[in-house]
Structures are given as structure tokens and as C-alpha cells.
Amino acid sequence: MAIRYHDNPFGKHKPGGPKGRVVIVEDGCKGCGFCVEYCPNDVLVLSSRYNVKGYHPPEVVHPDKCVNCGFCRMICPEFAIYTVAIEPETV
Amino acid sequence: MSVIDELQQAVKNSPRQSPGDEHPMSNFLRMDRIPHIWCPTCGIGTTVNCFAQALERCSIPLDDVAVVSGIGCTGRVAGYVKTDSFHTTHGRAIPFATGLRLGNPKLKVVVFSGDGDLFSIGGNHFNHAARRNLDMTVICVNNFNYAMTGGQVAPTSPTDSVLTTSPYGNFETPFNLPFLAESVGATFVARWTALHIHRVTESMIKALMKPGFSFIEIIAPCPTIFERKNKFGDGLDRLKFYHDNSEIIHGAPTKDVDIGLRNKIIVGEFVDIERPTFIESMNAYLKRRLGSDYDIYEG
Ligand code: SF4
Ligand code: SF4
């Protein structure tokens, strides 16, 4: 009973954690791979495409797993990736 | 089809994500000057991100911040931050910052420069600014060599490191920067690597908020010269090396934190003490000597 109450506090759907949308400025990327290596949720991979400078930019493979922690933005030496908070759905 | 044609074709076909929103740091960075000149996987850009984040979190008005850089790869930082900034001659970032600070004591003065600029060409100035406890924050990105001029041995190059002017290895003893800074009188001394982004940001905030001379050393990869010549791989390999080999010891005695070429790197906040700043000492002393003839200097 208690557990079910915890899942649905006051009969409402429990809101999830923070979510983020990743924005990649592809042509600013120099393909270092820092964001891919250090994303805690493995949201990104290096793509096989080239950008205008001939580097492989990252690509989002698990958009739903992004928790908007901002680590990719902070570690990117090129200021070429950032995330925008997705507002939680209101219930 | 030649390789070049293939490459051009691939670029043409590559779908692009259009950046729909502003970069969150675009208030702090001159986005029109980016992409910057630093090499792929160089760590300097990451430290600039941390600095922008620290400025945002401190909520100091940007008009009250001045960033001064010297010459070198890190010296370019002054050109990329959207505050008042000045790119001085080689080694003279601290003298310029001294004048700025004494002329307008309301400014937050930050010196952002490299190890060669701050400790070799400008070494003397560092000593005296710290001795006088001038109110400024010095951020030193340490990549262990003179990178912009082609990789000569710097006063921070670890013993045994192979560089352009030490093809058989460096036999000199390098500076231990936190020890140096503490012994000449800095009131706040920290060292991190470019991987410790949150801790770097925290230390920058502490340093910006602390009156007196604060010093932060950030060890950053230089894949083009230092890592290549010493076979460390690229910047990412070096970040993994930092991850596996850095040990956080807050308050460690600074004389024990010297860096070997492939040894453990001790990081942390080593010194946090209180001392009267230059302007405070001047006002207190002259007030005592001259009494009512002296007007307290506030800028
Ligand atoms: S914000 Fe965090 S979880 Fe989202 S992509 Fe960046 S590093 Fe990964
Ligand atoms: S030479 Fe080294 S320090 Fe300078 S931009 Fe290139 S990687 Fe960075």
C-alpha cells in the first residue's frame, strides 16, 4: 500500500527527473570525443559523418536518457554542444 | 573519385542540426570569435567554460570584471571572454593587472595565462604581486611547455619530458607551482586538472570571492606538443590519465605536490588563509603614521 502510494503521491502521476534536449553545433566541433566519453548516461556517440572541417561530430543516440546535467557543455573545449531543459509535462 | 572528392561529397551530404537556441554561455563569451584557434582536444577551452560558469554563478556584474592575459596559447583567453579584457605583452599580465586594480579597486581583476608566461617571462611579477597580496585572481593553465612557439622546455616541464629543446629528456627540476605560490604569500592556492570541471568552477568561485591574491593551477592537455612528444596520446587519452592518476588531497603540504612525468598528480585546495591585502595594509599603515592628514584610498 505504502509503496503504491509512493508511486502515485496524492493519486497523481509522479513527475520524473530533469530532462534535457541536446543541441550540437556540428560545424564548431573538432571531434575530440570528450562529451562522448564523459556523458554519464551514454547519450552520445561519434558519428561517421564529417562536418565542414572534416571532423566527426557527436550524434545523439539516446535522446530520452539525457538528464540535462550539462557535463557535455562544460567539458566541450569548442563551446559546440549544450543542452536545453525540457519542461516536465504538467499533470 | 579521389579522397578529397569523397570528403567533399561526405561533407555536402552530412545532415546538420541547426542550433536552435543560444549557447547558454553566450553572455560571457564572444561567440562571434569562435571557433577559436586552439588545437583539437586541447584543454584550454574547457577551462574557459569553467570560468564562464564561475562568473555566472558569482553573479558579479560583467562590467566589474577585467580579464588580463599574457602571450601564449592560454594568452588568447582574453580575446574570447566578453568582459573588459586586455592581451598584454609577454609576461606582463600581472603588472598590467596591478595597475588596473590599484587604479580602480572596485574591479575584479583576473589574470588568465599560461605557465611559461606567468612563471618564466613574468615570474618576477608573480612573486611580488603575491608578496604584496594584491587583490587579484591568477588562473594558470599549465601544459608543461611553451606550446605556441613550438614546444621548448618551460620552467614547469617535468624532469625526463622530451620536448623540442630537450630531445634526450629534460634534466632540469621544474617549479612546483602551489609550493611557489604559497611561499611567496598567496592566500588561496588550488590545483586541478582540466577533467575536474566542477571542482575547478568551485575553486574559481572561491578565488573570485576571496580578497587577496588567489592562485589556481589547472593542468591541461597539449596534444599537439607535450602529449605527442611524450607519447601520451591525444587530449582524451590524457584526460583518462588524469582520471586514473590524480588524487584529491585538500590541504596537502604544498612542498609534497610536485609533478613527475608519469607520476600521480596531487590535486585539491591546498591553502586558504587570511592576510591583509595591499590596499588594506597601505591604508592602515599610513593612517597610523599620518593620522587625519591621510585620506583612506578607495579608488
Ligand atoms: S547533459 Fe549530461 S546526460 Fe545530457 S548529453 Fe550532456 S552529458 Fe549526457
Ligand atoms: S599547441 Fe598545445 S596548448 Fe597550444 S592550442 Fe595546441 S594543444 Fe593547446
Coordinates of all heavy atoms in Angstrom, one line a residue, chain B residues 196-283:
Chain B
H196 N 38.6 18.0 -14.0 CA 37.8 18.3 -12.7 C 36.9 19.5 -12.9 O 37.1 20.5 -12.2 CB 38.8 18.5 -11.6 CG 39.6 17.3 -11.2 ND1 40.8 17.0 -11.7 CD2 39.3 16.3 -10.4 CE1 41.3 15.9 -11.2 NE2 40.3 15.4 -10.4
I197 N 36.0 19.5 -13.9 CA 35.4 20.8 -14.3 C 34.6 21.4 -13.1 O 34.6 22.6 -12.9 CB 34.6 20.6 -15.5 CG1 33.7 19.4 -15.4 CG2 35.4 20.5 -16.8 CD1 32.8 19.2 -16.7
H198 N 33.9 20.6 -12.4 CA 33.0 21.1 -11.3 C 33.9 21.7 -10.2 O 33.6 22.7 -9.6 CB 32.0 20.1 -10.8 CG 31.0 19.8 -11.8 ND1 30.2 20.8 -12.5 CD2 30.6 18.6 -12.4 CE1 29.4 20.2 -13.3 NE2 29.6 18.9 -13.3
R199 N 34.9 21.0 -9.9 CA 35.8 21.4 -8.8 C 36.6 22.7 -9.2 O 36.8 23.6 -8.4 CB 36.8 20.3 -8.4 CG 36.0 19.1 -7.8 CD 36.9 18.1 -7.4 NE 36.3 16.8 -7.0 CZ 35.9 16.5 -5.8 NH1 36.1 17.4 -4.8 NH2 35.3 15.4 -5.5
V200 N 37.0 22.7 -10.5 CA 37.7 23.9 -11.0 C 36.7 25.1 -10.8 O 37.1 26.2 -10.3 CB 38.1 23.8 -12.5 CG1 38.6 25.1 -13.0 CG2 39.1 22.7 -12.6
T201 N 35.5 24.9 -11.2 CA 34.5 26.0 -11.1 C 34.3 26.5 -9.7 O 34.3 27.6 -9.4 CB 33.1 25.5 -11.7 OG1 33.4 25.0 -13.0 CG2 32.2 26.7 -11.9
E202 N 34.2 25.5 -8.8 CA 34.0 25.8 -7.3 C 35.2 26.6 -6.8 O 35.1 27.6 -6.1 CB 33.9 24.6 -6.5 CG 32.6 23.7 -6.7 CD 31.4 24.5 -6.3 OE1 31.5 25.3 -5.4 OE2 30.4 24.3 -7.0
S203 N 36.4 26.2 -7.2 CA 37.6 26.9 -6.7 C 37.7 28.3 -7.3 O 38.1 29.2 -6.7 CB 38.9 26.1 -7.1 OG 39.0 25.0 -6.3
M204 N 37.3 28.4 -8.6 CA 37.3 29.7 -9.2 C 36.3 30.7 -8.5 O 36.6 31.8 -8.3 CB 36.9 29.7 -10.7 CG 38.0 29.1 -11.6 SD 37.4 29.1 -13.3 CE 38.8 28.6 -14.1
I205 N 35.2 30.2 -8.1 CA 34.2 31.0 -7.4 C 34.8 31.4 -6.0 O 34.8 32.6 -5.7 CB 32.9 30.2 -7.1 CG1 32.2 30.0 -8.5 CG2 32.0 31.0 -6.2 CD1 31.0 29.1 -8.4
K206 N 35.4 30.5 -5.3 CA 36.1 30.8 -4.0 C 37.1 31.9 -4.2 O 37.2 32.9 -3.5 CB 36.7 29.6 -3.4 CG 35.7 28.8 -2.6 CD 36.5 27.7 -1.8 CE 35.5 26.6 -1.6 NZ 36.2 25.3 -1.2
A207 N 38.0 31.7 -5.3 CA 39.1 32.6 -5.5 C 38.5 34.0 -5.9 O 39.1 35.0 -5.5 CB 39.9 32.1 -6.7
L208 N 37.5 34.0 -6.7 CA 36.9 35.3 -7.1 C 36.4 36.1 -5.9 O 36.4 37.3 -5.8 CB 35.8 35.1 -8.2 CG 36.3 34.8 -9.6 CD1 35.1 34.4 -10.4 CD2 37.0 36.0 -10.2
M209 N 35.8 35.3 -5.0 CA 35.1 36.0 -3.9 C 36.1 36.3 -2.7 O 35.8 37.1 -1.8 CB 34.0 35.0 -3.3 CG 32.9 34.9 -4.2 SD 32.4 36.6 -4.8 CE 30.8 36.4 -5.4
K210 N 37.3 35.7 -2.8 CA 38.2 35.9 -1.7 C 39.1 37.2 -1.9 O 39.6 37.4 -2.9 CB 39.1 34.7 -1.6 CG 39.9 34.7 -0.3 CD 40.7 33.4 -0.2 CE 41.6 33.4 1.0 NZ 41.0 33.3 2.3
P211 N 39.1 38.1 -0.9 CA 40.0 39.2 -1.0 C 41.5 38.7 -1.0 O 41.8 37.7 -0.3 CB 39.7 40.1 0.2 CG 38.7 39.4 1.0 CD 38.4 38.0 0.4
G212 N 42.3 39.4 -1.7 CA 43.7 39.0 -1.7 C 44.1 38.2 -2.9 O 43.4 38.1 -3.8
F213 N 45.4 37.7 -2.9 CA 45.9 37.1 -4.1 C 45.6 35.6 -4.1 O 46.1 34.8 -3.2 CB 47.5 37.3 -4.0 CG 48.2 36.9 -5.3 CD1 48.4 37.8 -6.3 CD2 48.6 35.6 -5.4 CE1 49.1 37.4 -7.4 CE2 49.3 35.2 -6.6 CZ 49.5 36.1 -7.6
S214 N 44.8 35.2 -5.1 CA 44.4 33.8 -5.1 C 45.0 33.2 -6.4 O 45.1 33.8 -7.4 CB 42.9 33.6 -5.1 OG 42.3 34.6 -5.9
F215 N 45.4 31.9 -6.3 CA 46.1 31.3 -7.4 C 45.5 29.9 -7.7 O 45.3 29.1 -6.8 CB 47.5 31.1 -7.1 CG 48.3 30.3 -8.1 CD1 48.5 30.8 -9.4 CD2 48.8 29.1 -7.8 CE1 49.2 30.0 -10.3 CE2 49.5 28.3 -8.7 CZ 49.7 28.8 -10.0
I216 N 45.1 29.6 -8.9 CA 44.6 28.3 -9.3 C 45.4 27.8 -10.5 O 45.6 28.5 -11.5 CB 43.1 28.4 -9.8 CG1 42.3 28.9 -8.6 CG2 42.6 27.0 -10.2 CD1 40.8 29.2 -9.0
E217 N 46.0 26.6 -10.3 CA 46.7 26.0 -11.4 C 45.8 24.9 -12.0 O 45.2 24.1 -11.3 CB 48.0 25.3 -10.9 CG 48.7 24.5 -11.9 CD 49.9 23.6 -11.3 OE1 50.0 23.5 -10.1 OE2 50.6 23.1 -12.1
I218 N 45.6 24.9 -13.3 CA 44.8 23.9 -14.0 C 45.7 23.2 -15.0 O 46.2 23.8 -15.9 CB 43.6 24.5 -14.7 CG1 42.8 25.4 -13.8 CG2 42.7 23.4 -15.3 CD1 41.8 26.2 -14.5
I219 N 45.9 21.9 -14.7 CA 46.7 21.1 -15.6 C 45.9 20.7 -16.8 O 44.8 20.1 -16.7 CB 47.3 19.9 -14.9 CG1 48.2 20.4 -13.8 CG2 48.0 18.9 -15.8 CD1 48.5 19.4 -12.7
A220 N 46.3 21.0 -18.0 CA 45.5 20.8 -19.2 C 46.4 20.1 -20.3 O 47.6 20.3 -20.4 CB 45.0 22.1 -19.8
P221 N 45.7 19.3 -21.1 CA 46.4 18.6 -22.2 C 46.9 19.5 -23.3 O 46.1 20.4 -23.7 CB 45.5 17.5 -22.7 CG 44.1 17.9 -22.1 CD 44.3 18.8 -21.0
C222 N 48.1 19.3 -23.8 CA 48.5 20.0 -25.0 C 48.9 18.8 -26.0 O 50.0 18.4 -26.1 CB 49.7 20.8 -24.7 SG 50.6 21.4 -26.2
P223 N 47.8 18.3 -26.7 CA 48.1 17.2 -27.6 C 49.0 17.4 -28.7 O 49.7 16.5 -29.1 CB 46.7 16.9 -28.1 CG 45.9 18.1 -28.0 CD 46.5 18.8 -26.8
T224 N 49.1 18.7 -29.2 CA 49.9 18.9 -30.3 C 51.4 18.8 -30.0 O 52.2 18.4 -30.8 CB 49.6 20.4 -30.8 OG1 48.2 20.4 -31.1 CG2 50.4 20.7 -32.0
I225 N 51.8 19.2 -28.8 CA 53.2 19.1 -28.5 C 53.6 18.2 -27.3 O 54.2 17.2 -27.5 CB 53.8 20.6 -28.2 CG1 53.4 21.4 -29.4 CG2 55.3 20.5 -28.0 CD1 54.1 22.6 -29.7
F226 N 53.1 18.6 -26.1 CA 53.6 17.9 -24.9 C 53.1 16.4 -25.0 O 53.9 15.5 -24.8 CB 53.1 18.5 -23.7 CG 53.7 17.9 -22.4 CD1 54.9 18.3 -22.0 CD2 53.0 16.9 -21.7 CE1 55.5 17.7 -20.9 CE2 53.6 16.4 -20.6 CZ 54.9 16.8 -20.2
E227 N 51.9 16.2 -25.3 CA 51.4 14.8 -25.3 C 52.0 14.0 -26.4 O 52.3 12.8 -26.3 CB 49.8 14.7 -25.3 CG 49.1 15.7 -24.5 CD 49.5 15.9 -23.1 OE1 50.2 14.9 -22.6 OE2 49.2 16.9 -22.5
R228 N 52.1 14.6 -27.6 CA 52.7 13.9 -28.7 C 54.1 13.6 -28.5 O 54.5 12.4 -28.7 CB 52.5 14.8 -30.0 CG 53.2 14.2 -31.2 CD 52.9 15.1 -32.4 NE 53.4 16.5 -32.3 CZ 54.6 16.8 -32.7 NH1 55.4 16.0 -33.2 NH2 54.9 18.1 -32.5
K229 N 54.9 14.5 -28.0 CA 56.3 14.3 -27.9 C 56.6 13.2 -26.8 O 57.6 12.5 -26.8 CB 57.1 15.6 -27.5 CG 57.1 16.5 -28.7 CD 58.5 16.9 -29.0 CE 58.6 17.8 -30.2 NZ 59.7 17.4 -31.0
N230 N 55.7 13.2 -25.8 CA 55.9 12.3 -24.7 C 55.1 11.0 -24.8 O 55.0 10.3 -23.8 CB 55.7 13.0 -23.3 CG 56.8 14.0 -23.1 OD1 57.9 13.7 -22.8 ND2 56.4 15.3 -23.2
K231 N 54.5 10.8 -25.9 CA 53.7 9.6 -26.2 C 52.6 9.4 -25.2 O 52.4 8.3 -24.7 CB 54.6 8.4 -26.3 CG 55.9 8.6 -27.1 CD 56.0 7.6 -28.2 CE 57.2 7.7 -29.1 NZ 57.5 9.1 -29.6
F232 N 51.9 10.4 -24.9 CA 50.7 10.3 -24.0 C 49.4 10.1 -24.8 O 48.3 10.0 -24.3 CB 50.5 11.5 -23.2 CG 51.4 11.5 -21.9 CD1 52.4 12.5 -21.7 CD2 51.2 10.6 -20.9 CE1 53.1 12.5 -20.6 CE2 52.0 10.6 -19.8 CZ 52.9 11.5 -19.6
G233 N 49.5 10.2 -26.1 CA 48.3 10.1 -27.0 C 47.7 11.4 -27.2 O 48.4 12.4 -27.2
D234 N 46.3 11.5 -27.4 CA 45.7 12.8 -27.6 C 45.1 13.3 -26.3 O 45.3 12.7 -25.2 CB 44.7 12.7 -28.7 CG 43.5 11.8 -28.4 OD1 43.4 11.4 -27.2 OD2 42.7 11.6 -29.3
G235 N 44.3 14.4 -26.4 CA 43.8 15.0 -25.2 C 42.9 14.1 -24.4 O 42.9 14.1 -23.2
L236 N 42.1 13.2 -25.1 CA 41.2 12.3 -24.5 C 42.0 11.3 -23.7 O 41.6 11.0 -22.5 CB 40.3 11.7 -25.5 CG 39.2 10.8 -25.0 CD1 38.3 11.6 -24.0 CD2 38.3 10.3 -26.1
D237 N 43.1 10.8 -24.3 CA 43.9 9.8 -23.5 C 44.5 10.5 -22.3 O 44.6 9.8 -21.2 CB 45.1 9.3 -24.4 CG 44.6 8.6 -25.6 OD1 43.6 7.8 -25.5 OD2 45.1 8.8 -26.7
R238 N 44.8 11.7 -22.4 CA 45.4 12.4 -21.3 C 44.3 12.7 -20.2 O 44.7 12.6 -19.0 CB 45.9 13.8 -21.8 CG 46.8 14.5 -20.9 CD 48.1 13.7 -20.5 NE 49.0 14.7 -19.8 CZ 49.9 14.3 -18.9 NH1 50.0 13.1 -18.6 NH2 50.6 15.2 -18.4
L239 N 43.1 13.0 -20.6 CA 42.0 13.1 -19.6 C 41.9 11.8 -18.8 O 41.7 11.8 -17.6 CB 40.7 13.5 -20.2 CG 40.6 15.0 -20.7 CD1 39.1 15.3 -21.0 CD2 41.2 16.0 -19.8
K240 N 42.0 10.7 -19.6 CA 41.8 9.4 -18.9 C 43.0 9.2 -17.9 O 42.8 8.6 -16.8 CB 41.8 8.2 -19.9 CG 40.5 8.2 -20.7 CD 40.5 7.1 -21.8 CE 39.3 7.3 -22.7 NZ 39.5 6.5 -23.9
F241 N 44.2 9.6 -18.3 CA 45.3 9.6 -17.5 C 45.1 10.4 -16.2 O 45.3 9.9 -15.1 CB 46.6 10.1 -18.2 CG 47.8 10.1 -17.3 CD1 48.7 9.1 -17.3 CD2 48.1 11.3 -16.6 CE1 49.8 9.1 -16.5 CE2 49.2 11.4 -15.8 CZ 50.1 10.3 -15.7
Y242 N 44.5 11.6 -16.3 CA 44.2 12.4 -15.2 C 43.2 11.7 -14.3 O 43.3 11.7 -13.0 CB 43.6 13.7 -15.6 CG 44.5 14.7 -16.4 CD1 43.9 15.6 -17.2 CD2 45.9 14.6 -16.3 CE1 44.6 16.5 -18.0 CE2 46.6 15.5 -17.1 CZ 46.0 16.4 -17.9 OH 46.7 17.3 -18.7
H243 N 42.3 11.1 -14.9 CA 41.2 10.4 -14.1 C 41.8 9.3 -13.3 O 41.5 9.1 -12.1 CB 40.2 9.8 -15.1 CG 39.1 9.0 -14.4 ND1 39.1 7.7 -14.2 CD2 37.9 9.5 -13.8 CE1 38.1 7.3 -13.5 NE2 37.3 8.4 -13.3
D244 N 42.8 8.5 -13.9 CA 43.3 7.4 -13.2 C 44.4 7.8 -12.2 O 44.8 7.0 -11.3 CB 43.9 6.3 -14.2 CG 42.9 5.8 -15.1 OD1 41.7 5.9 -14.7 OD2 43.2 5.3 -16.1
N245 N 45.1 8.9 -12.4 CA 46.3 9.2 -11.7 C 46.2 10.5 -10.8 O 47.2 10.9 -10.3 CB 47.5 9.4 -12.6 CG 47.8 8.1 -13.3 OD1 48.4 7.2 -12.6 ND2 47.4 7.9 -14.5
S246 N 45.0 11.1 -10.7 CA 45.0 12.2 -9.8 C 44.4 11.9 -8.5 O 43.4 11.1 -8.5 CB 44.4 13.5 -10.5 OG 43.2 13.1 -11.0
E247 N 44.9 12.4 -7.5 CA 44.5 12.1 -6.1 C 44.1 13.4 -5.5 O 44.9 14.3 -5.5 CB 45.5 11.4 -5.3 CG 45.1 10.9 -4.0 CD 46.1 10.1 -3.2 OE1 47.2 9.7 -3.8 OE2 46.0 10.0 -2.0
I248 N 42.9 13.5 -4.9 CA 42.5 14.7 -4.3 C 42.9 14.7 -2.8 O 42.5 13.9 -2.1 CB 40.9 14.9 -4.4 CG1 40.5 14.9 -5.9 CG2 40.5 16.2 -3.7 CD1 39.0 15.0 -6.1
I249 N 43.8 15.7 -2.4 CA 44.1 15.8 -1.0 C 44.0 17.3 -0.7 O 44.9 18.1 -1.0 CB 45.6 15.3 -0.7 CG1 45.8 13.9 -1.3 CG2 45.8 15.3 0.8 CD1 47.1 13.3 -1.0
H250 N 42.9 17.7 -0.1 CA 42.7 19.1 0.3 C 43.7 19.4 1.4 O 43.9 18.5 2.3 CB 41.3 19.4 0.7 CG 40.3 19.3 -0.4 ND1 40.4 20.1 -1.5 CD2 39.2 18.5 -0.6 CE1 39.4 19.9 -2.3 NE2 38.7 18.9 -1.8
G251 N 44.3 20.5 1.4 CA 45.2 20.9 2.5 C 46.5 20.2 2.5 O 47.2 20.2 3.5
A252 N 46.9 19.5 1.4 CA 48.1 18.7 1.4 C 49.3 19.7 1.5 O 49.2 20.9 1.0 CB 48.3 18.0 0.1
P253 N 50.4 19.4 2.2 CA 51.5 20.3 2.3 C 52.0 20.6 0.9 O 52.4 19.6 0.1 CB 52.5 19.5 3.1 CG 51.9 18.4 3.7 CD 50.6 18.1 2.9
T254 N 52.1 21.8 0.5 CA 52.4 22.1 -0.9 C 53.8 21.6 -1.3 O 54.1 21.4 -2.5 CB 52.3 23.6 -1.2 OG1 53.0 24.3 -0.3 CG2 50.8 24.0 -1.2
K255 N 54.7 21.5 -0.4 CA 56.1 21.0 -0.8 C 56.0 19.6 -1.3 O 56.9 19.2 -2.0 CB 57.1 21.2 0.3 CG 56.9 20.3 1.5 CD 58.1 20.5 2.5 CE 58.1 19.6 3.7 NZ 57.0 18.7 3.9
D256 N 55.0 18.8 -1.0 CA 54.9 17.4 -1.4 C 54.1 17.3 -2.7 O 53.8 16.1 -3.1 CB 54.2 16.6 -0.4 CG 55.0 16.7 0.9 OD1 56.2 17.0 0.9 OD2 54.3 16.4 2.0
V257 N 53.7 18.3 -3.4 CA 52.8 18.1 -4.5 C 53.5 18.3 -5.9 O 52.8 18.6 -6.9 CB 51.5 19.0 -4.4 CG1 50.8 18.8 -3.1 CG2 51.9 20.5 -4.5
D258 N 54.8 18.1 -5.9 CA 55.5 18.3 -7.2 C 55.0 17.2 -8.2 O 54.6 16.2 -7.8 CB 57.0 18.4 -7.1 CG 57.5 17.4 -6.1 OD1 56.7 16.7 -5.5 OD2 58.7 17.2 -6.0
I259 N 55.2 17.5 -9.5 CA 54.6 16.7 -10.5 C 55.8 16.0 -11.3 O 56.7 16.6 -11.7 CB 53.8 17.5 -11.5 CG1 52.6 18.2 -10.8 CG2 53.3 16.6 -12.7 CD1 51.8 19.0 -11.7
G260 N 55.7 14.6 -11.3 CA 56.6 13.9 -12.1 C 56.0 13.6 -13.5 O 54.8 13.8 -13.7
L261 N 56.8 13.2 -14.5 CA 56.2 13.0 -15.8 C 55.1 12.0 -15.8 O 54.0 12.3 -16.4 CB 57.4 12.6 -16.8 CG 57.0 12.4 -18.2 CD1 56.5 13.8 -18.7 CD2 58.2 12.0 -19.0
R262 N 55.2 10.9 -15.2 CA 54.1 9.9 -15.3 C 53.7 9.5 -13.9 O 53.1 8.4 -13.7 CB 54.6 8.6 -16.0 CG 54.7 8.8 -17.5 CD 55.5 7.7 -18.2 NE 56.2 8.3 -19.4 CZ 55.6 8.6 -20.5 NH1 54.3 8.2 -20.8 NH2 56.3 9.1 -21.5
N263 N 53.9 10.3 -12.9 CA 53.5 10.0 -11.5 C 52.1 10.5 -11.2 O 51.5 11.1 -12.0 CB 54.4 10.7 -10.5 CG 55.9 10.3 -10.7 OD1 56.2 9.5 -11.6 ND2 56.7 10.9 -10.0
K264 N 51.7 10.1 -10.0 CA 50.4 10.6 -9.5 C 50.4 12.1 -9.4 O 51.4 12.7 -9.1 CB 50.2 10.0 -8.1 CG 48.9 9.3 -7.9 CD 48.8 8.8 -6.5 CE 47.7 7.8 -6.4 NZ 47.0 7.2 -7.4
I265 N 49.3 12.7 -9.7 CA 49.2 14.2 -9.6 C 48.3 14.5 -8.4 O 47.2 14.0 -8.3 CB 48.5 14.8 -10.9 CG1 49.3 14.4 -12.1 CG2 48.4 16.3 -10.7 CD1 48.7 14.9 -13.4
I266 N 48.9 15.2 -7.4 CA 48.1 15.5 -6.2 C 47.3 16.8 -6.6 O 47.9 17.8 -7.0 CB 48.9 15.8 -5.0 CG1 50.0 14.7 -4.8 CG2 48.1 16.0 -3.8 CD1 49.4 13.5 -4.2
V267 N 46.0 16.8 -6.4 CA 45.2 18.0 -6.7 C 44.4 18.3 -5.5 O 44.3 17.5 -4.5 CB 44.2 17.7 -7.9 CG1 45.0 17.5 -9.2 CG2 43.3 16.6 -7.6
G268 N 43.8 19.5 -5.5 CA 43.0 19.9 -4.3 C 43.1 21.4 -4.0 O 43.8 22.1 -4.8
E269 N 42.5 21.8 -3.0 CA 42.7 23.2 -2.5 C 43.7 23.1 -1.4 O 43.4 22.5 -0.3 CB 41.3 23.8 -2.0 CG 40.4 24.0 -3.2 CD 39.0 24.5 -2.8 OE1 38.8 24.6 -1.6 OE2 38.2 24.7 -3.7
F270 N 44.8 23.7 -1.6 CA 45.9 23.5 -0.6 C 46.0 24.6 0.5 O 46.4 24.3 1.6 CB 47.3 23.4 -1.4 CG 47.3 22.3 -2.4 CD1 47.8 22.6 -3.7 CD2 46.9 21.0 -2.1 CE1 47.8 21.6 -4.6 CE2 46.9 20.0 -3.1 CZ 47.4 20.3 -4.3
V271 N 45.8 25.8 0.1 CA 46.0 26.9 1.0 C 44.7 27.8 1.0 O 44.2 28.0 -0.1 CB 47.2 27.8 0.5 CG1 47.4 29.0 1.5 CG2 48.5 26.9 0.5
D272 N 44.3 28.2 2.2 CA 43.2 29.2 2.3 C 43.4 29.9 3.6 O 43.0 29.5 4.6 CB 41.9 28.4 2.3 CG 40.7 29.3 2.1 OD1 40.9 30.6 2.1 OD2 39.6 28.8 1.9
I273 N 44.1 31.1 3.5 CA 44.5 31.8 4.7 C 44.0 33.3 4.6 O 43.6 33.7 3.5 CB 46.0 31.8 5.0 CG1 46.8 32.3 3.8 CG2 46.5 30.4 5.4 CD1 48.2 32.7 4.0
E274 N 44.0 34.0 5.6 CA 43.7 35.4 5.6 C 44.9 36.2 5.8 O 45.7 35.9 6.7 CB 42.7 35.7 6.7 CG 41.4 34.9 6.8 CD 40.5 35.1 5.5 OE1 40.5 36.2 5.0 OE2 39.8 34.1 5.1
R275 N 45.1 37.3 5.1 CA 46.2 38.2 5.2 C 45.6 39.6 4.8 O 44.9 39.6 3.8 CB 47.3 37.9 4.3 CG 48.5 37.1 4.9 CD 49.5 36.8 3.8 NE 50.3 38.0 3.5 CZ 50.8 38.2 2.3 NH1 50.7 37.4 1.3 NH2 51.6 39.3 2.1
P276 N 46.1 40.7 5.4 CA 45.6 42.0 4.9 C 46.1 42.2 3.4 O 47.2 41.9 3.1 CB 46.2 43.0 5.8 CG 47.2 42.3 6.6 CD 46.9 40.8 6.5
T277 N 45.2 42.7 2.6 CA 45.6 43.0 1.2 C 46.5 44.2 1.1 O 46.6 45.0 2.1 CB 44.4 43.2 0.3 OG1 43.7 44.4 0.7 CG2 43.4 42.0 0.4
F278 N 47.0 44.5 -0.1 CA 47.9 45.6 -0.3 C 47.2 46.9 0.1 O 47.8 47.7 0.8 CB 48.3 45.6 -1.8 CG 49.3 46.7 -2.1 CD1 50.6 46.6 -1.9 CD2 48.8 47.9 -2.8 CE1 51.5 47.7 -2.2 CE2 49.6 48.9 -3.1 CZ 51.0 48.8 -2.8
I279 N 46.0 47.1 -0.4 CA 45.4 48.4 -0.2 C 45.0 48.5 1.3 O 45.2 49.6 1.9 CB 44.1 48.5 -1.1 CG1 44.6 48.6 -2.5 CG2 43.3 49.7 -0.7 CD1 43.5 48.9 -3.5
E280 N 44.5 47.4 1.9 CA 44.2 47.4 3.4 C 45.5 47.8 4.2 O 45.4 48.7 5.1 CB 43.7 46.1 3.8 CG 42.3 45.8 3.4 CD 41.9 44.3 3.6 OE1 42.7 43.6 4.2 OE2 40.8 44.0 3.2
S281 N 46.6 47.2 3.9 CA 47.8 47.4 4.7 C 48.2 48.9 4.5 O 48.6 49.6 5.4 CB 49.0 46.6 4.3 OG 48.6 45.3 3.9
M282 N 48.1 49.4 3.2 CA 48.6 50.7 2.9 C 47.7 51.7 3.7 O 48.2 52.6 4.4 CB 48.4 51.0 1.4 CG 48.8 52.4 1.0 SD 48.6 52.7 -0.7 CE 46.9 52.9 -0.9
N283 N 46.4 51.5 3.7 CA 45.5 52.4 4.4 C 45.8 52.4 5.9 O 45.9 53.4 6.6 CB 44.0 52.1 4.1 CG 43.6 52.6 2.8 OD1 44.2 53.6 2.2 ND2 42.6 52.0 2.2

